[in-house]
Every structure is written in structure tokens, then in C-alpha cells.
Amino acid sequence: MSNALVLFSGGQDSTTCLAWALARFDHVETIGFDYGQRHRIELDVRPAVLAGLRKIADWDSRLGEDRVIDLAVLGQISQTALTQNVAIAMQDNGLPNTFVPGRNLIFMNFAAAVAYRRGIKNIVTGVCETDFSGYPDCRDDTMKAVQLALNLGMEARFVIHTPLMWIDKAQTWELSQELGGGALVDLIREDTHTCYNGDRTHRHDWGYGCGACPACELRAQGYARFTAA
Ligand code: ZN
């Protein structure tokens, strides 16, 4: 029986990755991280997204345990616009101040530790080089290096899957359409959360959000191109 662990934040990308895994693997578990993110509301939407996925195809029988790991320490060691209430801006080094140093590296290590304990071989993450904010820990080379380091360090044979690595946000919407049809697209619009400002009061055709932060802009532009196609 094939199995996978999906890094599931409650956002559009990780929800699409979770659907991708449910379409491929017999048994799929999920892991999320509470690191004091100011858009912590994404953790609150996770149960509704999981419940919605259970209603699509035979995914209910494939979807297993969900867990949220407390990584508040990440908020203690980093000062970024994602963990503090400061304006989102570009830094001198060319990276936006939403970059949380080491975040994805730390996430992958904790995910692998859980996968090891659970006897899970495949680890799925929604990192992406296209349309991204220049985060170096989202790069394909970084993930390949992480896979090597984890397999050496844990004497394991994990396979890290990154289904969104080379597609843009419009194609991510398309992928969700292919995987789960209109039901999945509607679920992603209604229940997933992407906005950095944690805004769930303003409703757009692409979902809830402030409409102005970089995450909202990417999501909105992708949805516009998806629906225009
Ligand atoms: Zn926003």
C-alpha cells in the first residue's frame, strides 16, 4: 500500500498538493505547523478543508490522520513580516521581509521525523519556483538537497514530491480542476486561506483576503488567468 505525508497549511497550494496525493496514494496523512504566523487563521480553516476533501471521489477512505505541530520557537528566533505585525516590504538583500529564514528546512525535518515514525515513504510539499517570492528554500535544488540530507541523516528512502514546482498560479487552479473538478475548485475558493494579513472578511471571486498583499495578488491574478482560459 502506497502512503504519503502532505505538508498541509490550509492554503491553496498545499490543498492542491493534498488533492494530488489523494489521487495517487492509498493512504495520505497531513501535517501542519503553528509557528505564530500572523495569518494563523490558515490553521483554523484546515478542518473545513479536510472535511470538504472527504466528500470528493473516494478520498474519504484515503485520508488519514492530521496533526498540527507547535513550532512557536520559529517565531521566537525570527523577526519577519509573517511572524510580527510589520509592513510587508522588500529588503536590501532582494528578499521580501515575509521570508522566514529556515522555515521550509525546519518544516521538512519535522515532517520527515513524523514520516519516519509512521513508516511513510512519500513527503509532499507545495513549494514552487514559479510565481514565487524568491524564497531560496522553495527552490528545486533546495528540496533535492533536503531529500538527500534527510535520507542520509535518517538512513531512509524518502521521496520528496513537489507537484507545483514548475507551474504558475493559473496552472495550480487548473490542476485542482483536473484533480477534483468544480467541487475542489469551489472548496479552494471558499475554505482555503492564502492572505498574509489573515483577512477573511473580504470576499472575492477567488476567495477571501485583503486583496492587496503579495499572496492575495498572486492568487487573484492566477484565478483571473484560469477563468479567462
Ligand atoms: Zn491579502
Side-chain angles (χ1 to χ4, degrees), residues 47-65:
V49 175
L50 290 171
L53 290 170
R54 289 188 182 281
K55 295 177 186 151
I56 298 173
D58 62 345
W59 295 353
D60 184 36
S61 62
R62 295 168 183 248
L63 192 53
E65 196 176 329

Side-chain angles (χ1 to χ4, degrees), residues 195-197 199 209-213 215-216:
C195 173
Y196 281 157
N197 290 318
D199 185 328
C210 72
C213 75
C216 279

Side-chain angles (χ1 to χ4, degrees), residues 17-202:
C17 284
L18 178 50
W20 181 91
L22 287 165
R24 268 163 193 77
F25 300 107
D26 300 316
H27 179 78
V28 179
E29 300 188 8
T30 47
I31 186 169
F33 300 99
D34 183 353
Y35 59 98
Q37 58 268 55
R38 72 191 223 193
H39 54 306
R40 215 181 157 284
I41 196 161
E42 70 179 8
L43 294 173
D44 298 335
V45 304
R46 291 168 88 262
V49 175
L50 290 171
L53 290 170
R54 289 188 182 281
K55 295 177 186 151
I56 298 173
D58 62 345
W59 295 353
D60 184 36
S61 62
R62 295 168 183 248
L63 192 53
E65 196 176 329
D66 176 46
R67 49 180 75 67
V68 175
I69 307 294
D70 180 0
L71 282 183
V73 65
L74 198 51
Q76 291 168 27
I77 59 175
S78 66
Q79 292 189 317
T80 78
L82 281 199
T83 51
Q84 299 200 325
N85 194 16
V86 298
I88 296 171
M90 197 57 81
Q91 304 175 132
D92 292 340
N93 64 359
L95 282 173
N97 63 352
T98 50
F99 175 60
V100 182
R103 177 178 58 165
N104 279 322
L105 302 177
I106 292 167
F107 287 178
M108 293 305 291
N109 276 271
F110 277 83
V114 169
Y116 185 96
R117 173 165 62 83
R118 299 288 297 156
I120 292 175
K121 176 186 174 74
N122 300 285
I123 301 172
V124 185
T125 171
V127 292
C128 168
E129 275 204 24
T130 319
D131 267 2
F132 80 143
S133 306
Y135 296 166
D137 57 346
C138 290
R139 290 183 295 200
D140 191 49
D141 283 353
T142 305
M143 284 300 129
K144 286 187 163 65
V146 165
Q147 176 176 296
L148 183 61
L150 291 173
N151 284 333
L152 286 171
M154 296 193 195
E155 191 62 35
R157 292 299 297 165
F158 297 121
V159 179
I160 296 178
H161 300 267
T162 55
L164 309 185
M165 183 60 78
W166 306 112
I167 66 176
D168 65 21
K169 278 283 180 288
Q171 291 169 311
T172 301
W173 284 106
E174 280 167 29
L175 178 59
S176 59
Q177 174 82 46
E178 287 166 25
L179 291 166
L184 181 58
V185 173
D186 288 347
L187 177 69
I188 288 172
R189 287 169 61 200
E190 279 303 317
D191 289 318
T192 69
H193 184 84
T194 304
C195 173
Y196 281 157
N197 290 318
D199 185 328
R200 287 198 73 75
T201 56
H202 295 93

